[in-house]
Amino acid sequence: MTQPPDAPHPTRSRNRPGTHVTPTTLSDGRELIYFDASEASAALHRDTAATADRRGLPPRGGAGTARYDALTGEWIAVAAHRQTRTHLPPADQCPLCPTTEANSSEIPASDYEVVVFENRFSSFGPDLGSLPGDAAWGTTTTAFGRCEVVAFDSSHEGSFGSLSPERARTVIDAWAHRTEALSAMDGIRQVFCFENRGQDIGVTLLHPHGQIYAYPFIPPRAAVMGEQAVAFHDAARGTRTLLGSALDAERESGERMVIEGKHFSAFVPFAARWPLEVHLVPHRQVPDIAALTPAERDELTVVYLDLLGRVDALYSTPTPYIAAWQQAPLDARLRPASYLHLQLTSPRRAEDKLKFLAGSEAAMGAFINDTTPELVADRLRNATPATSR
């Protein structure tokens, strides 16, 4: 295992004692891992006869390519093979449901709690390596990295917010496990856990799931936030962090606060870009999910489910969103100032209206919000999740 010269050691994960991790391999060589809170379920997944992939898939194809955009200094992945990925299949053909006699899915077991596996239609990987440091106009290379799918539950429809607290807690441990493992892989510079919810966001599978991207570069938004965090941290001589100071200010003001717990708080950011945007932030600076203690993960389970319940209570139908875990880049200069947090955003600006990224946002990256953060925070504070009614 090698890392770029400036890459720090990844965080050591601290899973709760009750989480069982059982790795296996699919018939085309991709890795699949079962995460179970119950011993009975874990025992089933240790039985290779009950979890063997009998599809006889052909060897997986090679990696896509990455092209360097010299005008912006950004890398663009070219993954034309993703055009053929599965799109909104019925329940009896879902690739994330447990395998049955009629449907040999991506998950060989007849039942499961939480599963993580390498994406068959991967944007990055499976090859690992480092991108060239002297990229210029016309540079094309392998799209190194790894993309994984996280199946939150064996049910065909739902999202993270529909999970039981126990199942949600197991997903958090799975995120932590994969963050640690992926951070240690050759050439990885950023690990990104996220959930897309709703067809308006572009979801192609109704099954409750998320994804994890392990990038061979630091993505543009993470790079911008990292530089801002470092500048603030350096100006404060290492005594304060940018997000920590923002959290302190929001908690003191209360104007945009939504939820305040012992270890986590949620607030609408002062300069929210989206009509619905909430940041969920730990009270202690940590670089990634793997660094959270068991007690912090326990409260995260409760607070996160509460937040998603409030989001869905705003309207009569489920709200589409992107739940993006902003973890510290694997960069020795950026990581000390970086601060784990969730950015949950939705383009929904009214019951029957979506905000589309048109000229200003899409072409120039200059966002114009259609509502005020204070109004959104007030609505979320007063929303009653279905589980509380």
Side-chain angles (χ1 to χ4, degrees):
M1 184 270 295
T2 60
Q3 283 285 347
D6 61 344
H9 293 291
T11 304
R12 176 66 60 181
S13 177
R14 289 171 281 187
N15 281 4
R16 57 180 173 169
T19 299
H20 304 269
V21 181
T22 310
T24 186
T25 304
L26 296 172
S27 59
D28 59 359
R30 287 176 294 136
E31 185 177 20
L32 180 145
I33 307 170
Y34 294 100
F35 292 86
D36 299 294
S38 66
E39 171 58 33
S41 184
L44 169 66
H45 299 140
R46 287 192 291 266
D47 181 358
T48 56
T51 58
D53 182 6
R54 298 180 175 84
R55 291 175 295 174
L57 297 172
R60 64 190 305 186
T65 59
R67 298 188 181 192
Y68 182 71
D69 182 355
L71 297 179
T72 63
E74 299 172 4
W75 287 95
I76 309 298
V78 180
H81 58 281
R82 284 176 54 80
Q83 287 279 26
T84 60
R85 65 188 186 273
T86 308
H87 182 76
L88 299 176
D92 61 355
Q93 298 175 32
C94 177
L96 303 187
C97 284
T99 284
T100 64
E101 290 186 6
N103 179 36
S104 294
S105 76
E106 288 279 69
I107 302 170
S110 60
D111 197 11
Y112 66 86
E113 294 182 11
V114 177
V115 168
V116 178
F117 62 91
E118 290 184 75
N119 196 330
R120 192 175 182 181
F121 302 97
S122 182
S123 300
F124 299 94
D127 298 345
L128 296 173
S130 298
L131 298 176
D134 57 351
W137 185 272
T139 298
T140 301
T141 186
T142 302
F144 298 118
R146 182 143 160 169
C147 294
E148 299 182 339
V149 176
V150 185
F152 296 157
D153 190 76
S154 61
S155 303
H156 176 60
E157 294 190 24
S159 61
F160 191 95
S162 64
L163 301 178
S164 69
E166 181 182 54
R167 189 57 43 80
R169 181 64 170 79
T170 302
V171 172
I172 291 171
D173 273 350
W175 285 335
H177 179 282
R178 299 315 300 151
T179 292
E180 180 186 1
L182 294 169
S183 296
M185 289 184 178
D186 185 23
I188 300 304
R189 306 303 306 280
Q190 177 88 44
V191 177
F192 175 47
C193 304
F194 64 100
E195 179 193 8
N196 297 329
R197 204 278 282 273
Q199 294 184 47
D200 290 321
I201 294 296
V203 170
T204 58
L205 294 175
L206 299 177
H207 197 106
H209 74 288
Q211 299 180 67
I212 305 175
Y213 277 23
Y215 297 101
F217 53 81
I218 300 175
R221 181 155 173 78
V224 168
M225 290 192 297
E227 293 296 341
Q228 286 291 103
V230 166
F232 184 95
H233 193 250
D234 288 350
R237 300 183 182 275
T239 61
R240 292 184 297 151
T241 61
L242 180 56
L243 185 57
S245 296
L247 173 62
D248 291 343
E250 293 293 351
R251 294 179 72 187
E252 182 177 354
S253 164
E255 192 174 12
R256 288 169 293 275
M257 291 296 297
V258 178
I259 304 170
E260 189 166 6
K262 179 180 179 181
H263 300 295
F264 278 85
S265 286
F267 60 88
V268 177
F270 174 77
R273 297 181 172 204
W274 295 90
L276 179 56
E277 181 172 347
V278 188
H279 292 184
L280 178 56
V281 183
H283 295 173
R284 181 175 68 94
Q285 182 198 10
V286 294
D288 52 34
I289 299 172
L292 295 173
T293 66
E296 288 169 330
R297 296 185 199 182
D298 287 344
E299 183 176 280
L300 173 58
T301 302
V302 176
V303 173
Y304 192 15
L305 289 175
D306 182 11
L307 174 60
L308 292 175
R310 292 172 186 270
V311 167
D312 270 349
L314 293 178
Y315 301 106
S316 61
T317 57
T319 290
Y321 63 73
I322 297 173
W325 282 103
Q326 300 290 346
Q327 305 197 96
L330 292 159
D331 180 285
R333 188 176 68 87
L334 301 180
R335 197 169 178 87
S338 298
Y339 201 124
L340 168 73
H341 64 291
L342 175 81
Q343 294 185 355
L344 188 142
T345 60
S346 174
R348 194 173 198 176
R349 60 188 178 92
E351 177 80 36
D352 58 350
K353 296 177 182 178
L354 296 176
K355 177 180 179 63
F356 293 97
L357 299 190
S360 184
E361 291 90 356
M364 297 302 291
F367 276 70
I368 303 166
N369 201 339
D370 300 304
T371 185
T372 67
E374 294 74 23
L375 176 61
V376 173
D378 183 67
R379 293 186 63 205
L380 286 169
R381 277 195 301 269
N382 292 296
T384 304
T387 55
S388 302
R389 296 174 188 168

